């Protein structure tokens, strides 16, 4: 399938007159339409709700759009909780799925009324000590261990993952929590990341539904909700077949009717904590070609780097690239598209066939709407870019300004040597 950016060169030329590259651009219309499709796919489950994984794209304006679409927020840290709170998520709108959790973050989650999802059986004691009690509604994260395999391509090793409780532990955890006053229980598991298949959620659902029946029968606990978490992927490569969310919803429904309904558990609410699927395709990184280098290979240097988008450097991840305005040109040039870090893995693409790139061309790096900006860091003293929102009405709103040197030096606020650069951004 051809991958087309959601903006044209003409639009980008207008945007770049006001906002210098590099920047992230998000597509409100795409995010909303996708959220609507998801709701439709799970509409058969009356309690269904998506809790957007804030870590994927922690921007309050985007959270607000998803809130308007009926989503809750899935947080894993204090600052994510604060952002969710500020946007107006409250009480059970917030899922707190964290691990190795600092006690004060449990306390903040509880103050906001969030549903707390415990990653380990030992966290029961930590939570009780922190709060002085166990909340009435509580969730536990499960790890079935072993190897989880869907197809030849998708395999994950839950047995090697640091998350979740073993089967025996989760049974024991339910008993202990129940004895300590918990009344409504949730179960959560995340077994594979970025799955591009309609089989993942139904397979995960079967594992969790069977566990739910067992937990209910053995401990008498009321399983109120089952959380399929994240992991539904997106087609980063043009030759990948995208997930069909309607087929995924239908696949989960079949398992629900096969496992939960006969066990008298047809009132269990489902929830998801998707990040990538919700915003991934609806964001791009826009960057400009500023250097070309001909050595042992052909390089195009751009004005962004791995600090702005870490996935290629970190996982060798593929991100499709379109040269704006050359969408239909033949891809007869082989390039490495590189950033400016003093790190040889700072390459957005290696040996990528693209149209001839001229200096000043705008490059659209696709599918960066999740786990893109948010993974940013400041190595080499590089600064994070702005984030812009292409609104449904076609206008563009700056939803985060670019970092400045003052931001970078702000935490050296007690260092007199840095004073001049803390006050002035111009050299
Ligand atoms: C990262 C994460 C998610 C979101 O994962 P995606 O792959 O973006 O869907 C959901 N839940 C938890 C607990 C996570 O850590």
């Amino acid at each position: 399938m051809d991958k087309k950016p959601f903006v044209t060169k003409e639009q980008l030329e207008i945007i770049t007159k006001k906002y210098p590259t590099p920047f992230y651009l998000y597509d409100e219309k795409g995010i909303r339409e996708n959220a609507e499709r998801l709701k439709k796919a799970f509409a058969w489950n009356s309690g269904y709700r998506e809790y957007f994984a804030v870590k994927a794209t922690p921007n309050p304006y985007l959270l607000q759009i998803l809130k308007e679409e009926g989503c809750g927020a899935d947080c894993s840290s204090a600052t994510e909780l604060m952002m969710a709170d500020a946007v107006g998520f409250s009480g059970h709108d917030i899922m707190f799925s964290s691990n190795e959790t600092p006690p004060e973050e449990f306390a903040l989650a509880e103050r906001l009324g969030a549903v707390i999802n415990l990653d380990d059986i030992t966290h029961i004691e930590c939570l009780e000590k922190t709060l002085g009690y166990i909340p009435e509604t509580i969730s536990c994260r499960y790890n079935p261990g072993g190897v989880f395999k869907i197809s030849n391509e998708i395999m994950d090793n839950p047995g090697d993952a640091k998350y979740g409780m073993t089967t025996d532990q989760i049974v024991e955890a339910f008993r202990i929590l129940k004895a300590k006053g918990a009344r409504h229980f949730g179960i959560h598991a995340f077994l594979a990341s970025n799955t591009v298949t309609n089989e993942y959620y139904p397979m995960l659902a079967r594992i969790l539904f069977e566990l739910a029946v067992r937990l209910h029968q053995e401990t008498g606990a009321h399983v109120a909700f089952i959380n399929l978490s994240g992991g539904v992927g997106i087609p980063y490569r043009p030759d990948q077949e995208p997930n069909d969310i309607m087929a995924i919803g239908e696949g989960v429904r079949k398992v629900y009717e096969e496992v939960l309904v006969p066990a008298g558990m047809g009132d269990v609410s489902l929830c998801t904590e998707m990040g990538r699927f919700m915003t991934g395709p609806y964001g791009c990184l826009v960057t400009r070609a500023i250097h070309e280098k001909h050595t042992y290979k052909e390089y195009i240097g751009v004005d962004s780097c791995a600090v702005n988008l870490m996935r290629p450097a970190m996982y060798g991840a593929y991100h499709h690239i379109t040269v704006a305005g050359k969408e239909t040109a033949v891809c007869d040039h082989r390039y490495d598209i590189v950033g400016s870090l003093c790190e040889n893995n700072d390459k957005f693409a290696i040996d990528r066939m693209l149209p001839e790139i001229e200096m000043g061309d705008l490059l659209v790096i696709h599918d960066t709407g999740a786990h893109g900006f948010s993974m940013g860091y400041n190595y080499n003293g590089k600064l994070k870019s702005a984030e812009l929102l292409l609104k449904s009405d076609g206008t563009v709103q700056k939803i985060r300004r670019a970092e400045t040197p003052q931001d970078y030096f702000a935490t050296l606020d007690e260092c007199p040597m840095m004073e001049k650069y803390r006050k002035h951004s111009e050299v």
Side-chain angles (χ1 to χ4, degrees), residues 252-273:
V252 174
R253 187 183 67 78
K254 283 202 181 106
V255 186
Y256 189 96
E257 289 182 354
E258 200 185 308
V259 181
L260 287 180
V261 173
M265 296 172 72
D267 62 340
V268 174
S269 298
L270 296 184
C271 52
T272 53
E273 291 175 342

Side-chain angles (χ1 to χ4, degrees), residues 53 55-56 74 76 97-98 117 141 163 188 190 192-194 229-232 273-277 370-371:
K55 75 164 192 262
D74 166 40
S76 55
S97 293
S98 82
N117 184 25
R141 185 166 181 167
Y163 311 106
H188 168 283
F190 191 154
S193 193
N194 191 33
S229 78
V232 175
E273 291 175 342
M274 289 186 254
R276 195 185 316 269
F277 183 79
H371 312 298

Side-chain angles (χ1 to χ4, degrees), residues 218-231:
E218 288 187 20
T219 70
H222 170 231
V223 180
F225 63 93
I226 294 175
N227 185 344
L228 301 174
S229 78

Side-chain angles (χ1 to χ4, degrees), residues 73 90 159 178 247 345 391:
S90 65
K178 195 157 173 273
N345 65 359
K391 307 218 304 186

Side-chain angles (χ1 to χ4, degrees), residues 19-20 22-26 54-63 79-80 83 87 308 372-376 383-390 396-404 407:
Y19 305 105
F23 53 79
Y24 271 81
L25 183 67
Y26 302 98
V54 174
K55 75 164 192 262
T57 320
N59 186 296
Y61 294 91
L62 300 179
L63 294 187
T79 48
E80 288 179 4
M83 191 183 283
V87 172
N308 306 108
F373 180 91
S374 58
M375 274 191 187
L383 305 175
K384 290 181 206 160
S385 76
E387 291 183 291
L388 309 177
L389 177 64
L390 177 60
V396 171
Q397 181 187 2
K398 179 167 70 179
I399 56 173
R400 187 193 300 269
R401 66 163 171 79
E403 268 184 345
T404 64
D407 295 323

